[in-house]
Amino acid sequence: MGYAIQAVGLTKKYGAKTAVHALNLTVEEGELFALLGVNGAGKTTTIKMLSGLSAPTSGDARLLGDSITKDLQRVKAHNGVSPQETAVARNLSVKENLELMARIYGFGREESRRMATKMIERLSLGEVAGDRSKTLSGGMQRRLSIAMALISKPKILFLDEPTLGLDVLARRELWALVRSLKKNTTILLTTHYLEEVEALADRVGVMNKGVLVAVGTVRELTEKAHANTFEDAFVALATEKEAIA
Amino acid sequence: MNGSNAFAGRTFKEILRDPLNLAFGLGFPLVLLLLMTAIQANIPVSLFELDLLAPGMAIFGLSFVALFSATLISKDRTTSFLMRLFASPLSASGYIAGYTLPLIPLSLMQTLICYACAAALGMQMTVNVLLAILTTLPSALLFIGIGLLCGSVLNDKQVGGICGALLTNLSAWLSGTWFDLSLVGGAFQKIAYLLPFAHAVDAGRAAVAGEYAAIMPHLWWVIGYAVVTFAVAVVVFRRKMHRDNV
């Protein structure tokens, strides 16, 4: 299996401040990679660069072979992004939101309708399919927001804190959905919930002050940090200055 | 093109489905038209004749298009919706078309309703009224451009202040819709005629009156403002859409 994401020396600076420093990262196709770090560690900036929302100051990354600095439109065509905040068209119904995204990604009107119907079924949005999205609960809006990222059948999916603000049941439902996607979609996930990482991630990267300080499975990182739990390992890694891996 | 069309459809639906937009964009100018006509019926002097009032009200109504457009774009920016879209393959021109093109039929619809209301109140419908409706198109483009510009740089609260209060008041008071600007005269009149609103209204009035030669001198002012405003809006929107400004 090839690499879905290959970042080499990916750096982002805002004036004198370095948000992401010389990030080297590879994610295999079909892998779910979780990016962890405290607020301001550089996770969202990394996702923004990889998804084409922010240009790197230096370095490059290839997504399924396409460069984010040279082939941006091709990169965007096979990416799906679910932003940290719920991002839906408020006066459009659930179905209309999904159709809109499918058409923006180039699918025809009829095909978009069929895709929206399938996605509604898949994400159990049937009861609210005709409701305007502004009337949905926070959990339902979040589910719709993720469905909008999935409707274009992305090969690489960026989920920026997808379960933020969801209750336990909604979170578990979303985990089941993410698991079902793993076979066909490469997923890069950021989250603050460590149990989410333990439940879902194949590998984990820990960022600290813009630097990727450790990469490995949950077990490997726990061992590397000489910790008893993954939470202890994360605290050690996320606050250390020197890279461990 | 498919994506741009879909996005344009979304803009149209978002604006029409907001009850506040309908209340202000259609309801408010129509209520004023009714009110002024009722006042005119009860005063001995000619102050609010429909032939003068309707072209002014049509332009005043269009000023709300800027508010609708700016509010939508601004909310899209602040709620991350635009960020989601920027991650898609849709081009900058696709977004601009999607945000602006649906507002042209919307503006036309608004103007038609305004003149239909004036007709119901007794305004004589002639071919000149059709010409007057056509003269509102550059004004529609001007207000759409202002909406795109304000939506690109302001947050939704600022949009409320700038487009909702300042712009609608400017287009109301400095357009000569409510009173003859020459009655005030002086600097007020000079400033009013340096801005496009009075020219937009005068072009419509000239069309209704059948004074064809008087239309274009006023309309050039509006066209000039519309072209410059739209060009600046496109540049600013594209700059805002640049990867590092999302």
Side-chain angles (χ1 to χ4, degrees):
Chain A
M1 206 171 265
Y3 290 126
I5 301 171
Q6 281 181 290
V8 181
L10 202 62
T11 300
K12 183 70 189 181
K13 290 182 180 175
Y14 295 102
K17 187 180 180 296
T18 303
V20 175
H21 177 69
L23 181 89
N24 294 313
L25 173 70
T26 53
V27 179
E28 286 185 12
E29 282 184 46
E31 188 177 16
L32 193 152
F33 190 91
L35 210 48
L36 293 182
V38 295
N39 290 334
K43 307 183 300 289
T44 297
T45 306
T46 300
I47 282 196
K48 278 188 170 181
M49 283 193 285
L50 292 175
S51 60
L53 285 167
S54 179
T57 309
S58 62
D60 197 359
R62 290 192 171 274
L63 274 69
L64 298 170
D66 295 320
S67 159
I68 60 167
T69 57
K70 298 182 188 81
D71 316 303
L72 189 59
Q73 286 306 101
R74 285 164 63 93
V75 167
K76 284 182 171 183
H78 52 58
N79 280 356
V81 180
S82 177
Q84 209 171 86
E85 288 173 44
T86 301
V88 298
R90 289 170 51 77
N91 280 314
L92 261 55
S93 71
V94 167
K95 192 162 188 283
E96 285 171 337
N97 264 291
L98 292 169
E99 286 174 7
L100 170 69
M101 287 313 294
R103 291 190 64 199
I104 280 177
Y105 275 83
F107 294 94
R109 193 185 294 265
E110 281 308 312
E111 196 177 1
S112 298
R113 278 188 192 144
R114 280 196 295 274
M115 289 162 77
T117 305
K118 274 187 189 170
M119 189 56 68
I120 284 166
E121 199 178 312
R122 190 173 174 193
L123 267 78
S124 310
L125 288 162
E127 280 182 21
V128 293
D131 294 359
R132 291 193 190 168
S133 61
K134 67 179 177 186
T135 65
L136 303 179
S137 66
M140 277 293 187
Q141 281 195 7
R142 173 64 66 167
R143 199 184 297 189
L144 170 60
S145 189
I146 290 164
M148 288 165 74
L150 291 174
I151 188 102
S152 60
K153 298 178 184 170
K155 290 179 182 144
I156 300 175
L157 179 63
F158 296 97
L159 297 174
D160 198 1
E161 301 193 25
T163 57
L164 191 70
L166 292 188
D167 61 37
V168 176
L169 292 180
R171 186 173 298 164
R172 289 297 169 102
E173 277 181 26
L174 194 68
W175 288 6
L177 172 72
V178 171
R179 277 197 198 98
S180 74
L181 293 170
K182 274 172 69 173
K183 293 172 200 162
N184 302 314
T185 313
T186 306
I187 300 171
L188 201 151
L189 165 95
T190 74
T191 181
H192 284 295
Y193 301 112
L194 298 182
E195 71 274 21
E196 197 159 288
V197 176
E198 290 180 282
L200 297 174
D202 297 314
R203 283 193 307 145
V204 183
V206 179
M207 293 191 76
N208 180 9
K209 294 176 183 168
V211 178
L212 186 66
V213 293
V215 176
T217 63
V218 167
R219 178 180 285 191
E220 284 168 356
L221 293 183
T222 309
E223 285 172 1
K224 273 178 188 170
H226 308 294
N228 292 323
T229 64
F230 181 55
E231 187 173 326
D232 290 340
F234 169 70
V235 171
L237 293 167
T239 51
E240 264 187 22
K241 282 184 183 172
E242 297 301 319
I244 288 184
Chain B
M1 198 62 192
N2 183 39
S4 182
N5 284 345
F7 192 59
R10 177 260 171 174
T11 300
F12 201 75
K13 285 177 188 165
E14 284 271 4
I15 288 176
L16 281 186
R17 287 178 182 177
D18 190 331
L20 277 178
N21 287 347
L22 293 179
F24 278 95
L26 281 179
F28 192 44
L30 291 184
V31 166
L32 287 176
L33 195 62
L34 290 168
L35 195 67
M36 297 299 154
T37 309
I39 292 172
Q40 180 60 56
N42 292 294
I43 55 173
V45 291
S46 175
L47 201 58
F48 300 121
E49 294 291 346
L50 276 169
D51 281 5
L52 299 177
L53 194 59
M57 209 54 75
I59 299 301
F60 177 62
L62 287 179
S63 67
F64 288 95
V65 170
L67 176 64
F68 304 158
S69 161
T71 304
L72 181 65
I73 297 168
S74 175
K75 275 190 181 165
D76 282 354
R77 276 179 40 235
T78 50
T79 60
S80 297
F81 186 70
L82 208 52
M83 185 173 133
R84 174 196 284 287
L85 297 177
F86 284 173
S88 80
L90 196 62
S91 65
S93 50
Y95 288 108
I96 292 168
Y99 273 129
T100 56
L101 291 182
L103 297 174
I104 296 172
L106 203 73
S107 304
L108 196 62
M109 227 161 67
Q110 199 179 23
T111 306
L112 285 172
I113 291 171
C114 180
Y115 276 101
C117 182
L121 291 170
M123 184 178 178
Q124 202 179 355
M125 287 295 111
T126 65
V127 90
N128 287 339
V129 171
L130 283 179
L131 188 61
I133 290 169
L134 282 179
T135 66
T136 62
L137 280 176
S139 303
L141 289 178
L142 170 66
F143 286 115
I144 292 168
I146 292 173
L148 182 64
L149 181 61
C150 291
S152 301
V153 294
L154 305 174
N155 64 39
D156 55 342
K157 278 185 185 168
Q158 291 167 327
V159 162
I162 300 289
C163 293
L166 185 65
L167 181 66
T168 50
N169 271 292
L170 276 180
S171 66
W173 299 112
L174 293 171
S175 64
T177 299
W178 317 110
F179 50 86
D180 191 341
L181 291 169
S182 62
L183 290 176
V184 184
F188 186 86
Q189 188 181 11
K190 277 183 187 160
I191 290 169
Y193 278 103
L194 285 174
L195 294 170
F197 314 116
H199 292 288
V201 173
D202 283 355
R205 284 174 175 169
V208 169
E211 294 164 4
Y212 307 125
I215 296 173
M216 283 317 288
H218 288 298
L219 219 48
W220 282 123
W221 276 86
V222 187
I223 291 168
Y225 266 99
V227 168
V228 171
T229 306
F230 216 92
V232 171
V234 167
V235 169
V236 170
F237 182 84
R238 279 176 176 272
R239 190 166 291 176
K240 280 289 198 179
M241 198 182 156
H242 188 269
R243 293 208 270 171
D244 284 333
N245 295 324
V246 177

